[in-house]
Amino acid sequence: MIISIVGGTGNLGKGLAVRLALAGYKVVVGSREEEKAKAKAKEYSDLCGCKIDGLVNERAVDVCDVAILTIPWKNALDFVRQYKESLSKRIVVSPIVPMVKEGEFVYKPPNSSMAESIASILGDKVVSAFHNVPAKRFSNLNETPEFDVVVCGDNEDAKAVVMEIVNSIERLRALDGGPLSNSRIVESLTPFLINLASRNGMRELGVKFV
Ligand SMILES: NC(=O)c1ccc[n+]([C@@H]2O[C@H](COP(=O)([O-])OP(=O)(O)OC[C@H]3O[C@@H](n4cnc5c(N)ncnc54)[C@H](OP(=O)(O)O)[C@@H]3O)[C@@H](O)[C@H]2O)c1
């Protein structure tokens, strides 16, 4: 299975690329610039000792079975409209959290949740996951944090594939979060976690249900 990480050159993309490659998946890092994609793919390959490829986003989407969209929320809907034809044939994972800083961080979805907005363009193979995974801790291979990942989606087959991907990563546990409409709850937890950390002198909080 090929997993492409669109905008995988950023914070969350790095952790996903190296940990999914370590789990045995073929991983492609996507970028708007081919050279940047290749440079980051080499950096990540050196970090984890696995082969990771880099391609421009459009090609990265074309070659994959599963596309994880690690791009800023403000650009996400334009991106999925632009690559709708190819993306709608694939399982698309949204970890995207629409939030703004108004003193503290505030959840500001465009209309419904970000995941539902993407699904309104791409169809039902959109699954949401990874919203509450703090990127810097996740990409530090010297640390193996234990987090739960709530996975929401309306297509049960696509959701099962994404849960298997999550569970392949050491010390992540996938939990079935129900329909895609529950994404708004999971997305909104991220600004809450950032504010909670800031108020309590903590950093990079994730979630674990016990
Ligand atoms: N950071 C976290 O801890 C975290 C945790 C959970 C979820 N998330 C979500 O994951 C997503 C990525 O977060 P991040 O922190 O990794 O973001 P980031 O580092 O700021 O950006 C990720 C990548 O997005 C690409 N990008 C920037 N502007 C773009 C545009 N106009 N169109 C298309 N691509 C563009 C860039 O790649 P190129 O320049 O190479 O194209 C960049 O490397 C966000 O939606 C965020 O809400 C983040």
Side-chain angles (χ1 to χ4, degrees), residues 138-164:
F138 188 54
S139 64
N140 177 1
L141 292 184
N142 296 320
E143 200 186 342
T144 311
E146 198 171 325
F147 295 126
D148 285 335
V149 173
V150 180
V151 183
C152 302
D154 293 334
N155 179 317
E156 294 300 325
D157 293 337
K159 184 161 63 176
V161 169
V162 176
M163 290 183 71
E164 192 179 325

Side-chain angles (χ1 to χ4, degrees), residues 94-128:
S94 172
I96 300 173
V97 178
M99 64 182 189
V100 293
K101 197 162 195 297
E102 291 176 354
E104 292 202 317
F105 284 94
V106 181
Y107 179 54
K108 281 274 168 81
N111 202 337
S112 48
S113 66
M114 199 71 214
E116 290 167 281
S117 302
I118 292 171
S120 73
I121 299 165
L122 297 182
D124 82 337
K125 284 199 291 179
V126 173
V127 175
S128 72

Side-chain angles (χ1 to χ4, degrees), residues 6-14 30-33 36-37 40 57 69-76 79 95-99 129-136 190 204:
V6 173
T9 53
N11 297 311
L12 184 61
K14 179 180 180 181
S31 168
R32 288 168 295 177
E33 297 164 43
K36 185 176 173 185
K40 282 288 176 183
N57 283 331
L69 305 181
T70 57
I71 55 176
W73 70 269
K74 285 188 176 161
N75 310 110
F79 182 89
I96 300 173
V97 178
M99 64 182 189
F130 299 113
H131 305 93
N132 312 135
V133 173
K136 288 199 176 126
T190 301
E204 295 271 299

Side-chain angles (χ1 to χ4, degrees), residues 45-116:
S45 299
D46 292 345
L47 187 64
C48 67
C50 314
K51 187 180 174 331
I52 296 174
D53 291 320
L55 290 173
V56 73
N57 283 331
E58 185 178 3
R59 286 277 303 128
V61 170
D62 283 345
V63 300
C64 76
D65 303 292
V66 176
I68 307 180
L69 305 181
T70 57
I71 55 176
W73 70 269
K74 285 188 176 161
N75 310 110
L77 295 180
D78 283 344
F79 182 89
V80 297
R81 275 187 210 105
Q82 190 175 354
Y83 299 111
K84 174 180 173 179
E85 197 187 331
S86 188
L87 282 168
S88 56
K89 294 178 189 146
R90 287 156 176 90
I91 295 174
V92 173
V93 181
S94 172
I96 300 173
V97 178
M99 64 182 189
V100 293
K101 197 162 195 297
E102 291 176 354
E104 292 202 317
F105 284 94
V106 181
Y107 179 54
K108 281 274 168 81
N111 202 337
S112 48
S113 66
M114 199 71 214
E116 290 167 281

